[in-house]
Amino acid sequence: MTKLRRYWEWGRLLPRDADKHTVDLARSRPDAIEHVDHEKRLWRRVYPPPGREGLVPLAFVFADTTEAKVANTVAVLEEAGRRYWSPRRYGSFYREAITAKDYSQAVPVVVTTLEQLQGHGADAAVWRRLGRESEQTLTAALDNPDGDAFFREQEARAEAEDKRRRVAEREAQRPVCKRCGQKFTDQRWEETTAHRTAWSAGDVSVCGTCHADDVAREEAAAEAARLEAAAPPEPEDDQKPCRGRSLGLTIRFEPISA
């Protein structure tokens, strides 16, 4: 147990020549080192990239003991050391849809016995990783099929499903024209609801096409009224122009006697 704890702590150390920004970040709070990339940590100066999430694997090989003692020791190690080897839940907006596990800060711990190694070889399925039930090959035991790659797949699916749900909810709320029964376009919907445009949207219960018809009728009626107002008045039929009156004269017509 002590070995596992120290191994985990060593994996969280920074090299002595770490830059000041990284050092200040790591000291800012107890878990801040988890936000420092593994490439900047001390262990990466010693070990090559493992090719998977997490710290450098740790193997326990038990020798000269009984199966019962091995089982008891592994059970204690598994329970007491859970903080160091166990993955965590991913923090995600779609948390409820995510079952993938975050192994980024965990020490992969595998156990076996010397007898199994001698009898089957290190490449055989003789390794059991803490947190798993069956024995696997070393490669399979160290792999994280429910890790980062699975998380990205689940999050992408959850995001796509959330987008489909939001689109469906929006479509269910889309207004329908009271006149022709057609659904509003996005543009018309925005025109009738946005504060900056609603005042000039006309009848907000009709779609864009019907609104355009209304505008066309109003414009035609306005143009007709304008033309009518601009036309000169026509003279009345019983009015005849008199030339004398235009000169300011009074003309009287007298009958002529025979």
Side-chain angles (χ1 to χ4, degrees):
M1 176 60 196
T2 301
K3 181 178 181 180
L4 174 56
R5 176 178 57 79
R6 289 180 177 177
Y7 209 76
W8 178 80
E9 291 174 345
W10 180 77
R12 299 165 70 87
L13 295 178
L14 294 175
R16 291 185 178 181
D17 59 351
D19 62 88
K20 184 177 183 302
H21 174 75
T22 302
V23 173
D24 291 342
L25 173 61
R27 292 176 177 176
S28 63
R29 60 180 188 270
D31 64 342
I33 187 64
E34 296 177 3
H35 300 282
V36 176
D37 190 85
H38 287 285
E39 294 298 316
K40 296 182 178 181
R41 301 189 196 182
L42 176 62
W43 74 267
R44 280 292 288 111
R45 301 281 184 91
V46 180
Y47 292 97
R52 59 186 68 85
E53 312 99 288
L55 300 170
V56 178
L58 178 62
F60 287 89
V61 178
F62 299 96
D64 300 327
T65 186
T66 64
E67 291 185 7
K69 288 183 178 181
V70 171
N72 290 337
T73 302
V74 171
V76 172
L77 183 64
E78 198 163 31
E79 183 60 32
R82 187 173 300 276
R83 176 186 179 186
Y84 311 117
W85 63 260
S86 179
R88 306 172 184 177
R89 291 196 65 179
Y90 272 101
S92 172
F93 179 77
Y94 309 104
R95 185 179 178 88
E96 296 302 321
I98 303 298
T99 60
K101 300 174 182 178
D102 181 5
Y103 291 89
S104 62
Q105 307 302 319
V107 176
V109 179
V110 293
V111 298
T112 189
T113 64
L114 182 60
E115 290 75 17
Q116 286 181 306
L117 292 177
Q118 291 175 335
H120 306 284
D123 294 333
V126 296
W127 302 92
R128 185 174 82 81
R129 182 169 173 172
L130 296 191
R132 300 180 185 176
E133 297 296 330
S134 59
E135 294 178 335
Q136 301 172 286
T137 64
L138 185 59
T139 300
L142 295 178
D143 192 19
N144 301 317
D146 56 347
D148 186 61
F150 187 47
F151 166 71
R152 291 195 298 269
E153 293 176 6
Q154 285 190 317
E155 189 171 52
R157 287 198 297 269
E159 184 176 3
E161 179 58 33
D162 182 60
K163 183 178 180 179
R164 286 192 293 270
R165 178 185 58 78
R166 287 186 281 109
V167 168
E169 290 177 351
R170 175 176 169 80
E171 285 303 310
Q173 298 172 358
R174 185 180 294 275
V176 176
C177 180
K178 302 298 185 181
R179 187 176 305 165
C180 70
Q182 294 297 317
K183 288 187 175 182
F184 282 26
T185 62
D186 288 343
Q187 180 180 354
R188 180 59 178 167
W189 194 359
E190 183 177 359
E191 287 175 354
T192 58
T193 55
H195 179 71
R196 67 182 185 279
T197 56
W199 65 273
S200 61
D203 185 352
V204 297
S205 68
V206 300
C207 66
T209 301
C210 291
H211 172 60
D213 292 342
D214 290 345
V215 171
R217 282 193 297 269
E218 292 172 1
E219 290 178 347
E223 179 64 13
R226 185 187 69 79
L227 293 175
E228 183 179 357
E234 296 182 358
E236 298 180 3
D237 295 340
D238 59 348
Q239 290 183 348
K240 297 181 179 179
C242 180
R243 189 174 182 181
R245 288 183 180 178
S246 65
L247 298 176
L249 302 176
T250 300
I251 303 175
R252 295 181 64 182
F253 296 91
E254 295 291 341
I256 300 176
S257 299

